[in-house]
Amino acid sequence: MREDRVFNFSAGPGVLAEEVLQKAQDEIFNYHGTGMSIMEMSHRSSSYQAVFDHVKAQFKKLMHVPDNYEILFLQGGASTQFSMIPLNLMSITGKADYAVTGNFSSIACKEAAKYGKVKCVYDGKRNGYTEIPSQDELQLSSDASYFHYCANNTIYGTAWNYVPETGNVPIVCDMSSEITSHVVDISRYGLIYAGAQKNMAPAGVTVVIIRKDLAGKQMANTPYMLNYQTMIEKDSMLNTPPCWCIYMLGLTLDWLEKQGGVEAMEKIKHAKAQMIYDVIDASALYIGHAKKEARSDMNVTFRTGSPELDGQFIKEAAAQGLVSLKGHRITGGMRASIYNAMPMEGVEKLRDFMLDFERRNG
Ligand SMILES: *Cc1c(COP(=O)(O)O)cnc(C)c1O
């Protein structure tokens, strides 16, 4: 690690691998002998097309995306998908089921209600979004166009540890803050989406994996930029795609492949998070936000019970090069986002700091 860098626990935009940033720097003035940067290059050029095709192929290979699915690179963030999904899929039956387990799924649910009959099949608000429902708790409809859930709740630090059983109803999943952290059986889903800035790339590109037969069912008034079918037909290049972000995503995917792919990330992600959860569980000072069985390996949320002490924790940690530990404004307290590019060494340093801080303030 470079000496001028910190351990960045930001929830998003999140940490990128140093090797990825180095490669981007090396290629920034002259990409592969073209004499120009990727940022200055026509998206219709053969040089850029090669980049684009490589990124898509890498994503397909590393995430094991079956042939009957299309991979799209779109703009507008994961939040635009909150509208794009109902616009394109709601007309199947006019209804959709949403499980609300946090802030983003709550927004997605409200947005979808503009386009059809939405049933909230679970709402974790009453428990302060500390839990994930069991299969039995989901009041699923058999005639929904789709069932939507958010796999990892970035703000509250909870995660689904199973894929719900929905019968013939396609599953739509927001994987923004966990995509590429573990193996996913894509065939269980109708559509998966993820803003890239949590675990993959800079902000500006959203990856959508859609089962091809689900495209083309959009409402008549669907804006052309929000139409999956046209985006599939134009291979995400209906207009200028977020060229630079897609290139950066490619560098991350190449790095991921060298690390051993999502399989390797799955092996270490739990050990990394557990190191912090072990401190919380053995502590008389730290209080975890999520119920044990709902804990996220990506975003670890905790507090001391005293906002002043939380503030002191965040300040002292930052002075030691452990930064962006402040929790979301909704939850307060602390949040350590432990994405793929966070080295084990950073988590160990955070653990040691937490133990030391408790010794001094517990
Ligand atoms: C950050 C985040 C979003 C919002 O992403 P944008 O790209 O900023 O729109 C949606 N869902 C989840 C789970 C997130 O973590």
Side-chain angles (χ1 to χ4, degrees):
M1 191 169 123
R2 281 175 57 130
E3 279 181 8
D4 59 348
R5 300 260 301 164
V6 292
F7 288 114
N8 177 10
F9 292 92
S10 171
V15 57
L16 292 171
E18 219 167 88
E19 201 181 306
V20 166
L21 297 173
Q22 185 62 58
K23 187 96 193 274
Q25 185 186 48
D26 293 346
E27 296 180 337
I28 202 162
F29 284 101
N30 181 356
Y31 178 76
H32 290 202
T34 57
M36 62 175 91
S37 166
I38 288 280
M39 286 185 271
E40 306 165 290
M41 195 178 285
S42 165
H43 58 292
R44 309 284 179 198
S45 66
S46 58
S47 295
Y48 190 73
Q49 189 64 51
V51 171
F52 184 92
D53 293 344
H54 172 73
V55 181
K56 202 169 149 183
Q58 279 291 71
F59 193 88
K60 182 172 163 68
K61 182 169 80 177
L62 294 171
M63 283 295 292
H64 313 291
V65 180
D67 289 338
N68 59 326
Y69 286 75
E70 186 62 47
I71 300 162
L72 298 173
F73 301 121
L74 306 179
Q75 305 202 46
S79 302
T80 294
Q81 293 307 307
F82 299 164
S83 332
M84 195 162 172
I85 288 157
L87 271 165
N88 284 266
L89 304 181
M90 185 77 87
S91 63
I92 299 175
T93 66
K95 303 176 187 177
D97 283 354
Y98 276 72
V100 175
T101 54
N103 177 64
F104 294 111
S105 47
S106 168
I107 301 170
C109 182
K110 283 192 196 107
E111 186 63 15
K114 294 177 184 170
Y115 303 98
K117 248 187 105 192
V118 167
K119 183 174 162 194
C120 177
V121 296
Y122 173 83
D123 190 352
K125 192 172 181 181
R126 62 182 180 275
N127 302 321
Y129 297 121
T130 55
E131 294 176 353
I132 293 297
S134 65
Q135 177 77 46
D136 297 341
E137 286 175 88
L138 299 172
Q139 314 274 311
L140 298 177
S141 325
S142 55
D143 61 345
S145 303
Y146 60 90
F147 162 73
H148 178 284
Y149 78 105
C150 175
N152 186 81
N153 298 286
T154 322
I155 293 175
Y156 297 95
T158 59
W160 294 64
N161 60 17
Y162 71 102
V163 182
E165 201 52 66
T166 61
N168 289 326
V169 174
I171 301 177
V172 173
C173 186
D174 180 352
M175 291 194 187
S176 292
S177 47
E178 64 149 58
I179 196 155
T180 69
S181 72
H182 66 101
V183 179
V184 174
D185 179 359
I186 307 280
S187 70
R188 297 284 308 274
Y189 296 87
L191 187 151
I192 291 167
Y193 65 102
Q197 74 274 20
K198 307 288 162 63
N199 201 25
M200 298 193 291
V205 61
T206 302
V207 179
V208 171
I209 310 165
I210 179 173
R211 212 177 68 208
K212 287 178 196 167
D213 64 285
L214 289 173
K217 303 180 194 303
Q218 68 282 347
M219 293 175 186
N221 59 355
T222 301
Y224 83 122
M225 279 296 294
L226 300 182
N227 183 334
Y228 292 126
Q229 186 61 34
T230 11
M231 281 298 179
I232 292 172
E233 282 162 14
K234 301 289 182 189
D235 203 9
S236 301
M237 291 211 210
L238 180 59
N239 68 330
T240 318
C243 306
W244 170 258
C245 299
I246 293 170
Y247 158 79
M248 289 295 291
L249 170 59
L251 295 187
T252 294
L253 293 174
D254 292 347
W255 170 83
L256 180 62
E257 185 173 34
K258 269 197 247 163
Q259 311 306 305
V262 295
E263 287 79 1
M265 293 300 134
E266 178 166 326
K267 276 197 194 121
I268 55 169
K269 74 170 180 123
H270 187 64
K272 279 156 95 185
Q274 197 56 43
M275 225 190 277
I276 304 306
Y277 286 127
D278 282 345
V279 175
I280 294 169
D281 289 343
S283 164
L285 177 67
Y286 304 115
I287 308 153
H289 179 79
K291 293 263 164 66
K292 266 189 191 176
E293 57 283 2
R295 282 172 169 173
S296 160
D297 285 341
M298 297 282 100
N299 313 97
V300 179
T301 47
F302 59 100
R303 61 185 186 277
T304 64
S306 149
E308 293 73 39
L309 207 51
D310 289 349
Q312 194 185 324
F313 179 101
I314 293 155
K315 214 171 122 194
E316 286 184 22
Q320 295 196 20
L322 302 163
V323 314
S324 309
L325 284 163
K326 193 172 189 316
H328 191 276
R329 60 189 181 276
I330 298 175
T331 51
M334 279 77 75
R335 170 174 52 177
S337 297
I338 308 174
Y339 296 131
N340 286 354
M342 171 56 66
M344 189 66 88
E345 190 196 340
V347 187
E348 287 165 356
K349 201 170 165 196
L350 175 60
R351 173 201 58 197
D352 294 345
F353 172 77
M354 287 175 74
L355 293 171
D356 181 54
F357 187 85
E358 179 163 5
R359 233 172 271 131
R360 290 183 287 110
N361 298 285

